[in-house]
């Protein structure tokens, strides 16, 4: 007696279509970017030479990284604070339950999505062009980037709050601002702090590479050393960056865990 | 408040929030001073930004179609190949990185993935460009390697959250660990893991757009050059097309992700 249940039916057209799309897309992309394993293998010899040149890292270079490294942290702090403050109204107006009417919600939501499409270095390039090379451009770029990160995440947690408190403020005759201030923000505060710390982690990481486009910080040294093919120094910079990023992430993560 | 003694104002106390605000404020001001971002400079910023933005109009769309669109397509191709590389490498790593299935190997796998995650892809590209030469191939390798870390971590978390019933059922009927993976674990985790791949593809589009800055192909190099030579109408075309293409890909990919998760 066969007690085995029948095999679930497969949706063959969908399966074949998906596989065809995946294979086609991969072939087209691989072709387009000149993907070739032979080239990779041929170049491995050159790569080995590069790796030999970049090891050991030039530790004598380390003291010169101190100033630019601090500048990187300053940029990240300014970006997080400015962006964190500006993100509050953007997030509140993008939360469906708190916003001021459908038109405002729709406009703010689209504004937020458009901010999110451009990567951090694009903002850095634009601000470097507008206000000149240097850390100010980096701080402005990270401010915009931070608005995009925090407002997206926080508007979603604001949509999940208990609407009892805001309604109570309204019922007691409070204005819209008072409703936000006393009814909504206290409930979302913990999430906000946690997202702000997360944004700070992202900003530290981003501010390390902003200098590649002239927006200040340790990346500017990285760019000059890379252009001169001083790979022992490049390795030194990257190692220092990695250690710093990992340390700050650990610190921030432990604060976030304590908050949760 | 003598008229209504029952209604007391909540007592204000100087808690950690006040201290934190104070410390952050102090750090903020110190940072502003350190990078010489003075009030006088701040007042200039809106004017400077508005001036450059006014040069952006009208966008040079002829340049957009002929030079920018191919570069954006190259960015998409870089992101795609990078995501495929990362997906292929991370699937076995995610399985072996699950604490619940392979307690000993998992610790080692998680260490690798944490290290891979710490590298911004643009720093990896700095090494790949001299190895495989200027161009998109270096970008795809950098994106692929740096995505492995995050996909392994997220994938391992999905595997750790599975229902163990099917695994025990396979082993009880005499199947090996590998068979259990194939018939009990992979079918459970695949939808969520594929959704993570798609999400990473969305992130990789942005990452690959930037890689052109170090000569690893894609649209970033075009933006850098147009801004450097002050061809603002051309830069406007880059920004406009990038925003539109990324919005479309986000929408399509987000819709597919929701469909996959719902099943």
């Amino acid at each position: 007696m066969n007690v085995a249940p029948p095999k679930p039916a497969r949706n063959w057209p969908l399966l074949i279509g998906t596989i065809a799309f995946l294979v086609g897309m991969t072939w087209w992309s691989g072709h387009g970017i000149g993907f070739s394993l032979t080239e990779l293998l041929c170049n491995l010899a050159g790569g080995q030479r590069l790796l030999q040149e970049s090891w050991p890292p030039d530790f004598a270079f380390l003291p010169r990284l101190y100033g630019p490294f601090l500048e990187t942290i300053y940029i990240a702090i300014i970006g997080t604070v400015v962006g964190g403050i500006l993100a509050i109204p953007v997030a509140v107006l993008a939360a469906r339950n708190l916003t001021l009417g459908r038109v405002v919600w729709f406009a703010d939501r689209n504004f937020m999505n458009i901010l999110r499409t451009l990567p951090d270095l694009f903002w850095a390039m634009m601000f470097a062009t507008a206000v000149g090379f240097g850390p100010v451009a980096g701080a402005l770029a990270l401010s915009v980037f931070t608005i995009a990160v925090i407002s997206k995440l926080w508007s979603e947690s604001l949509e999940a709050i208990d609407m009892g408190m805001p309604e109570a403020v309204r019922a007691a005759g409070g204005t819209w601002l008072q409703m936000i201030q006393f009814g909504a923000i206290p409930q979302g505060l913990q999430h906000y702090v946690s997202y702000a710390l997360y944004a700070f982690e992202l900003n530290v990481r981003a501010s390390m590479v902003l200098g590649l486009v002239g927006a200040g910080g340790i990346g500017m040294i990285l760019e000059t050393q890379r252009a001169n093919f001083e790979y022992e120094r490049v390795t030194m910079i990257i190692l220092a960056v990695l250690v710093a990023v990992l340390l700050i992430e650990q610190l921030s993560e432990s604060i976030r865990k304590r908050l949760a | 408040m003598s008229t209504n003694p029952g209604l007391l104002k909540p007592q204000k106390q100087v808690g950690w929030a006040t201290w934190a605000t104070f410390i952050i404020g102090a750090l903020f001001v110190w940072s502003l001073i350190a990078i010489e971002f003075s009030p006088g400079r701040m007042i200039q910023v809106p004017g400077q930004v508005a001036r450059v933005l006014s040069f952006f109009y009208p966008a040079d769309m002829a340049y957009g179609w002929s030079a920018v669109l191919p570069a954006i397509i190259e960015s998409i191709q870089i992101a795609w190949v990078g995501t495929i590389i990362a997906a292929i490498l991370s699937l076995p790593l995610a399985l072996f990185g699950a604490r619940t299935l392979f307690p000993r190997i998992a610790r080692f796998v998680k260490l690798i993935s944490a290290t891979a995650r710490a590298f911004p892809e643009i720093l990896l590209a700095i090494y790949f460009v001299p190895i495989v030469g200027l161009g998109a191939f270096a970008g795809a390798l950098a994106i692929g390697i740096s995505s492995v870390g995050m996909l392994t971590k997220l994938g391992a978390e999905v595997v750790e959250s599975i229902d163990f019933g099917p695994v025990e059922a396979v082993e009880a009927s005499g199947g090996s660990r590998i068979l259990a993976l194939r018939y009990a674990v992979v079918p459970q985790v695949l939808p969520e893991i594929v959704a993570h791949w798609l999400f990473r593809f969305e992130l990789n589009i942005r990452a690959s757009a930037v890689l052109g800055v170090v000569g690893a192909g894609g649209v970033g190099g075009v933006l850098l050059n147009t801004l450097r030579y002050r061809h603002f109408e051309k830069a406007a075309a880059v920004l406009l097309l990038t925003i539109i293409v990324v919005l479309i890909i986000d929408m399509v990919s987000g819709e597919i992700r929701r469909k996959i998760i719902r099943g």
Side-chain angles (χ1 to χ4, degrees), chain A residues 142-219:
Chain A
L142 287 188
S143 304
V144 176
F145 181 65
T146 307
I147 298 177
V149 172
I150 296 184
S151 62
K152 169 79 182 158
L153 292 169
W154 202 41
S155 69
E156 275 163 18
S157 38
L158 283 177
E159 280 180 352
I161 61 168
D162 169 18
M163 281 306 282
M165 279 212 299
E167 276 161 18
V169 176
R170 271 299 217 207
T175 61
W176 180 80
L177 263 182
Q178 285 170 329
M179 170 187 94
I180 300 297
Q181 191 190 343
F182 299 109
I185 287 182
Q187 289 190 60
L189 198 60
Q190 255 191 6
H191 280 129
Y192 176 78
V193 174
S194 152
Y195 295 145
L197 280 168
Y198 172 64
F200 181 63
E201 285 171 41
L202 291 182
N203 281 344
V204 168
R205 194 179 292 217
S207 65
M208 301 284 174
V209 293
L210 286 178
L212 292 174
V213 295
I218 207 166

Side-chain angles (χ1 to χ4, degrees), chain B residues 3-256:
Chain B
T3 51
N4 191 350
L7 202 66
L8 289 175
K9 260 197 162 181
Q11 256 194 332
K12 280 244 168 180
Q13 49 176 344
V14 182
W16 61 271
T18 318
W19 281 110
T21 314
F22 178 73
I23 293 171
I24 291 168
L27 280 174
F28 176 60
V29 173
W30 184 25
S31 304
L32 286 178
I33 295 168
I35 69 164
E36 291 169 6
F37 199 2
S38 61
R41 185 95 197 264
M42 278 177 218
I43 295 168
Q44 289 174 347
V45 165
Q48 286 172 323
V49 171
R51 204 174 63 93
V52 167
L53 278 183
S54 72
F55 296 142
F56 272 41
Y57 184 84
D60 182 353
M61 289 319 281
Y63 180 75
W65 301 127
S66 66
V68 179
L69 203 59
I72 292 182
I73 289 175
E74 192 178 59
S75 283
I76 297 174
Q77 292 175 327
I78 293 172
W80 182 270
V81 173
T83 312
I84 294 278
I85 293 175
I88 293 171
L89 291 179
S90 71
L91 187 59
L93 282 173
L95 292 174
F96 288 111
R99 238 181 319 116
T100 45
L101 290 175
F102 303 95
R104 271 193 222 133
I105 312 173
R107 198 169 299 165
F108 180 63
V109 170
K110 285 204 166 134
L111 191 72
I112 299 178
S113 97
T115 319
R117 258 179 303 137
F119 271 101
E121 40 281 288
I122 202 157
L123 295 187
L124 280 176
I126 286 178
Y127 278 94
F128 279 123
V129 165
I131 292 179
V132 300
L134 278 176
F137 184 34
L141 288 177
I143 296 261
I145 301 296
S146 73
S147 304
V148 169
M150 176 186 155
L151 288 181
T152 300
K153 177 181 185 256
L154 292 175
E157 279 165 11
V158 174
V159 176
E160 280 168 5
S161 68
I162 58 164
D163 172 12
F164 249 73
V167 179
E168 280 161 17
V170 171
E171 290 188 337
S173 51
S176 64
R177 252 287 128 105
I178 299 298
L179 281 176
L181 284 183
R182 163 68 187 84
Y183 289 102
V185 179
V186 170
Q188 281 191 64
V189 298
L190 208 55
E192 259 187 87
I193 285 186
V194 171
H196 284 315
W197 290 348
L198 276 171
F199 178 62
R200 187 68 211 189
F201 176 60
E202 291 168 37
L203 293 182
N204 281 348
I205 296 263
R206 293 168 175 78
S208 69
V210 155
L211 289 179
V213 170
V214 293
V219 75
V222 180
L223 182 62
L224 191 64
N225 282 329
T226 52
L227 286 176
R228 188 177 284 160
Y229 299 113
R230 312 249 144 194
H231 296 312
F232 291 117
E233 298 90 353
K234 292 179 177 172
V238 175
L239 295 176
L240 202 62
L241 285 174
T242 308
I243 289 174
I244 293 172
V245 170
V246 174
L247 275 181
I248 293 173
I249 289 177
D250 275 7
M251 259 192 294
V252 173
S253 167
E255 201 49 48
I256 298 175

Side-chain angles (χ1 to χ4, degrees), chain A residues 23 42 77 90 100 144 178 192 217 258:
Chain A
V23 172
C42 289
I77 290 175
V90 178
L100 288 165
V144 176
Q178 285 170 329
Y192 176 78
R258 214 164 284 185

